[in-house]
Amino acid sequence: MTGRCAVWESRPGGARRPPVSCPAVSEFQTSPGMRDVLAPESERWRRFVDVFASVVEPAGYGLVIPPMMEDAAVFTRVGEATDVVSKEMYAFTDLGGRTVALRPEQTASVCRAFVQHRPTTPWKAWYAGPNFRYEKPQRGRYRQFDQVGVEVLGVDDPYLDVEVIALGWRFYEALGLRQVTLLLNSLGEPADRARYVDALRAHFGADRDALTAESRQTLERNPLRVLDSKRDADAALIATAPQLADFLGKEAAVHFDVLRSGLDALGIPFRDEPRLVRGLDYYLRTTFEFAGETLDSAQNALGGGGRYDGLVEALGGPATPGVGFALGLDRTLLACDDEGVFGAPERSVDVFVVDTTGGAEALAITEHVRRSGRSADRAYDGRSMKAQMKAANRSGAAVAVIVGDDELAAGTAVVRPLRGDGEQIVVTRPDLLNHLEAVLS
Ligand code: HAM
């Protein structure tokens, strides 16, 4: 299929031919599950990260920027039994023969960085950026998706779990989201968890044929993950599965109680969710998820996290407790759309310069205005007064500065308000900046 589009053919020497027919759909498109983010949506992404920083930095968290690609073993070491690592990871051999992977998440990278650099503990880190998982793309599920998150290494105190969860909650509040539910569970100490996994294996194994083929496969690799199946056919057997609360030892139970009372003290509501297991496999004791009530239930996890006390050790470091979360930017913004909060900002400039004398005046004036700290835009290509005024109105600018032949000869400019009902006036060029400042402030 072909259509008309405004592509001008270039010729040697800079001459151009008028637009030619070209394919209506361009030859190159983003890969499935990957997207371009254009302004003003991209501006919303940046503000999302800024708001997150404004919540976590006052609590003592410092930005960490791990590489997007790591030795694949950093991830396989900590998540071999999970789909995220065993099925969805973009792993490949680089030109130097190393097996590397695009990070599917950042917790393992942050722990690897801790082992490599040994910062003093408690190490409180926050991060933002893209991750990659080869998943089936759909609304709220992408192959490249962004997260913001925190990780704290070196502290065992349940009050830290409270702090971490509270930061996530306060962030959603700062965005204006109201329909978020905090789901809470404890996976116990390693021994509790191991006993529970055995009990699950026995429960599901006894009625194996009642499970879907996918869940039978999951059962082989990781019985806990069967609990996470959203398939209707698995629901009955999951509903009668043993509950982890019955397997918690004293230590994990106390940790969980302190966590819950801390959340109560901060007025953060939560729901106990005894079947909450998460997609990654490194959690012990605290696990939690923030569910977006407006989203489709299969993709309603806005974020989640928990304790992963064995992770640093698994990566070759000293035994070091850790806790953190990651919040998905993409899904959280979908939830914001649903709730009508934290919208994309209106883009506008303070000043739009209209120059019908050839364009050099607009060059000088926009430069002066920008250097004075105000934003300014202009039209190009020597367009007519009418076309330039149209562009000025479209830009959302508060005022237009207009220079025609008469103003050029007189050393003046016309300042015309584009919003409200102020009068246009003629100012001398040396007075222009002062006048603009008075009008704009
Ligand atoms: P996760 O649950 O795999 O945890 O991901 C956290 C959040 O990232 C999800 O709740 C979701 O919002 C978003 N997310 C995950 N996959 C996708 C996808 N394919 N498309 C769009 N959004 C997605 C972790 O990544 C852990 N590292 C969290 C953590 C940090 N635990 C301890 N510290």
Side-chain angles (χ1 to χ4, degrees), residues 84 104-107 127 133 135 140-143 145-147 150-151 278-280 282-283 289 301-306 308 323-331:
V84 170
E105 58 114 39
Q106 294 174 64
T107 311
Y127 52 84
R133 295 181 192 174
E135 296 201 76
R141 192 176 290 280
Y142 310 100
R143 290 183 178 166
F145 60 95
D146 270 57
Q147 290 179 336
V150 299
E151 312 292 349
R278 306 207 0 89
L280 291 149
Y282 41 61
Y283 297 106
E289 213 155 81
L302 300 179
Y308 45 83
V323 60
F325 64 66
L327 313 180
L329 173 148
D330 312 76
R331 280 185 207 172

Side-chain angles (χ1 to χ4, degrees), residues 189-407:
E189 299 293 331
D192 308 337
R193 195 184 134 136
R195 280 188 297 124
Y196 182 55
V197 169
D198 285 346
L200 284 179
R201 193 176 282 116
H203 171 77
F204 291 123
D207 228 344
R208 226 175 152 273
D209 293 341
L211 289 173
T212 56
E214 292 95 327
S215 287
R216 283 201 296 275
Q217 268 185 12
T218 309
L219 181 61
E220 299 299 320
R221 285 186 292 125
N222 192 345
L224 261 184
R225 297 284 302 147
V226 178
L227 293 176
D228 207 27
S229 161
K230 306 265 189 319
R231 290 173 288 271
D232 289 344
D234 294 322
L237 215 51
I238 289 175
T240 54
Q243 304 243 349
L244 205 133
D246 299 328
F247 292 77
L248 282 192
K250 186 153 181 277
E251 221 180 310
V254 169
H255 189 99
F256 199 34
D257 284 345
V258 175
L259 165 61
R260 284 188 289 202
S261 63
L263 290 171
D264 281 338
L266 295 187
I268 296 175
F270 58 87
R271 196 171 84 209
D272 280 330
E273 190 64 45
R275 298 199 202 290
L276 177 71
V277 288
R278 306 207 0 89
L280 291 149
D281 205 25
Y282 41 61
Y283 297 106
L284 293 168
R285 291 191 273 178
T286 310
T287 49
F288 57 93
E289 213 155 81
F290 297 104
E293 298 310 325
T294 61
L295 298 182
D296 198 50
S297 67
Q299 259 81 244
N300 73 348
L302 300 179
R307 271 208 169 263
Y308 45 83
D309 294 350
L311 205 51
V312 168
E313 223 173 342
L315 290 168
T320 309
V323 60
F325 64 66
L327 313 180
L329 173 148
D330 312 76
R331 280 185 207 172
T332 304
L333 288 182
L334 289 176
C336 289
D337 291 342
D338 290 345
E339 291 200 36
V341 297
F342 198 70
E346 298 271 319
R347 281 181 79 213
S348 62
V349 286
D350 296 319
V351 175
F352 195 95
V353 183
V354 171
D355 172 6
T356 57
T357 71
E361 295 307 302
L363 183 71
I365 295 172
T366 48
E367 167 79 356
H368 277 129
V369 173
R370 289 170 192 163
R371 286 173 69 100
S372 78
R374 291 287 180 179
S375 54
D377 202 356
R378 56 166 295 181
Y380 303 93
D381 289 338
R383 298 168 74 200
S384 70
M385 172 78 168
K386 194 172 158 200
Q388 293 194 44
M389 282 310 299
K390 228 169 146 179
N393 283 313
R394 230 187 0 246
S395 74
V399 290
V401 171
I402 304 165
V403 181
D405 292 333
D406 291 349
E407 288 78 19

